[in-house]
Amino acid sequence: EFGEDEGDEGDLVARPPVVTVMGHVDHGKTKLLDAIRHTNEVAREAGGITQHIGAYQIAAEHEGEDRKITFIDTPGHEAFTAMRARGAKVTDIAVLVVAADDGVKPQTIEALNHAQAAEVPVVVAVNKVDKEGADPNKVRAQLTEYGLVAEEYGGSTLFVDISAKNGTGIDDLLEAILLTADAELDLRANDAMDAQGVAIEAHLDRGRGPVATVLVQRGTLRVGDSIVCGEAFGRVRAMLDDNGVSIDEAGPSRPVQVLGLTAVPGAGDNFIVVTDDRMARQIAQQRAARKRTADMARSGRRRTLEELFSEME
Ligand code: GDP
């Protein structure tokens, strides 16, 4: 259902990189995600208010061009691993945050292992350089042992000294992300097809019902589209961006909050646009049945005839 075929070369357009911030606890992931958002406050549409929807997109200038970067706004690698466990590849680039006063720690290595296993290029943000006792070069030396050799040491990994607290080095970090994307990745997608993507987070809202933040990975998602997301389905009633602004359509790498689903999908569930509501319901039901079968197989419980028939339907 979730195809890789994106049509002809000519249909592909450049899309922004999707970035996950990882690193040891307290090394400044949350602070960094806030600082990055801050740099873009001027670019925000009038009337908008920052909404934490699980991801956001910012504008950055790179080599005289206006570019965009999407950040997954759930620090830590829990989201990353949960999504990967479901087979969803969300991240194009990982920013590894290492506090310059604390150096490389077990979770730094764990995060790096996840990124390397997923073959995701890494940019290192050496944070807290404002602190007394900060030793950014030590961080560079330490990470060499794990295969991350800084460019200034003859390697190919970009290290950027930052202070998330003071907001210094953030522009350089954004630049490093775009340089890495251009050097190592060919980020293009067909924006003309029906949308496909992945749910990043979802919850049940008292007034609005199921609310899911989805990342569009290819195609364009529009209000009125019938979608299936995991075992949830429905018609997109409204979409909100990360400033709480209502939008009609969202192209590749854009995160949006979607209203109109019948249930709350899980983080990492893929979504697709289908022709109509009936088909959406059918696919969702099939998926639910398949999941029940898998769960039962795992639990080793024998299925009743009735259950078998309902799965075959
Ligand atoms: P996380 O656990 O990786 O998300 O870390 P946080 O973003 O919550 O930061 C942990 C602590 O370090 C907080 O008290 C932050 O205020 C502090 N912190 C984060 N970045 C910096 C920095 O650049 N300089 C200094 N001095 N403190 C920072």
Side-chain angles (χ1 to χ4, degrees):
E1 287 160 14
F2 195 76
E4 288 295 324
D5 186 359
E6 303 193 55
D8 297 332
E9 274 285 294
D11 296 330
L12 302 181
V13 296
R15 65 167 182 85
V18 179
V19 177
T20 303
V21 174
M22 303 164 98
H24 197 73
V25 64
D26 279 346
H27 278 199
K29 298 179 292 292
T30 311
K31 200 92 181 162
L32 174 59
L33 280 162
D34 287 346
I36 291 169
R37 252 200 113 128
H38 247 68
T39 59
N40 238 229
E41 232 130 48
V42 269
R44 184 170 307 153
E45 273 181 60
I49 304 166
T50 301
Q51 305 285 317
H52 282 275
I53 67 169
Y56 63 78
Q57 201 173 60
I58 56 127
E61 209 188 275
H62 179 59
E63 288 165 357
E65 265 183 74
D66 289 329
R67 300 277 296 268
K68 282 175 179 160
I69 308 174
T70 301
F71 285 90
I72 305 294
D73 193 9
T74 45
H77 49 265
E78 296 87 356
F80 188 80
T81 31
M83 285 191 250
R84 273 225 309 140
R86 289 178 186 232
K89 190 179 184 294
V90 173
T91 306
D92 297 310
I93 292 177
V95 168
L96 185 64
V97 180
V98 188
D101 61 332
D102 204 23
V104 170
K105 292 281 159 186
Q107 286 167 38
T108 313
I109 302 309
E110 203 181 301
L112 179 58
N113 287 340
H114 282 301
Q116 287 173 337
E119 294 179 355
V120 169
V122 173
V123 172
V124 183
V126 183
N127 191 29
K128 307 198 188 186
V129 294
D130 61 283
K131 280 182 93 169
E132 219 173 289
D135 191 350
N137 286 328
K138 189 174 160 198
V139 173
R140 284 169 175 75
Q142 285 179 323
L143 283 175
T144 304
E145 287 175 42
Y146 298 93
L148 287 187
V149 183
E151 212 183 28
E152 53 271 45
Y153 292 175
S156 61
T157 303
L158 298 183
F159 282 64
V160 185
D161 293 346
I162 66 162
S163 166
K165 186 181 163 199
N166 298 340
T168 55
I170 305 299
D171 288 341
D172 293 338
L173 179 63
L174 301 180
E175 186 91 28
I177 289 168
L178 291 169
L179 276 168
T180 302
D182 292 351
E184 300 194 31
L185 305 166
D186 180 25
L187 300 177
R188 293 184 298 163
N190 183 346
D191 63 348
M193 59 191 278
D194 283 341
Q196 299 180 344
V198 64
I200 292 165
E201 69 171 43
H203 65 276
L204 188 62
D205 183 275
R206 243 171 215 237
R208 301 181 296 168
V211 177
T213 296
V214 304
L215 176 72
V216 178
Q217 293 180 301
R218 54 179 72 102
T220 297
L221 183 64
R222 294 189 173 83
V223 170
D225 282 347
S226 294
I227 67 171
V228 187
C229 187
E231 293 161 40
F233 66 95
R235 189 182 288 230
V236 179
R237 188 172 76 227
M239 293 196 292
L240 301 171
D241 71 6
D242 50 358
N243 297 318
V245 176
S246 177
I247 56 172
D248 294 331
E249 54 176 49
S253 296
R254 184 123 189 232
V256 279
Q257 248 187 357
V258 167
L259 311 188
L261 287 172
T262 52
V264 179
D269 278 342
N270 285 327
F271 83 83
I272 49 169
V273 170
V274 295
T275 46
D276 55 47
D277 294 357
R278 240 189 74 212
M279 187 166 181
R281 175 181 290 112
Q282 272 175 5
I283 296 173
Q285 283 170 349
Q286 271 169 15
R287 284 181 173 179
R290 226 180 291 145
K291 185 168 173 291
R292 273 198 305 277
T293 314
D295 287 349
M296 270 188 275
R298 248 199 311 280
S299 74
R301 186 170 74 82
R302 256 198 217 165
R303 274 158 289 171
T304 63
L305 254 190
E306 200 181 20
E307 283 169 345
L308 276 173
F309 279 129
S310 82
E311 283 159 26
M312 283 188 290
E313 263 166 25

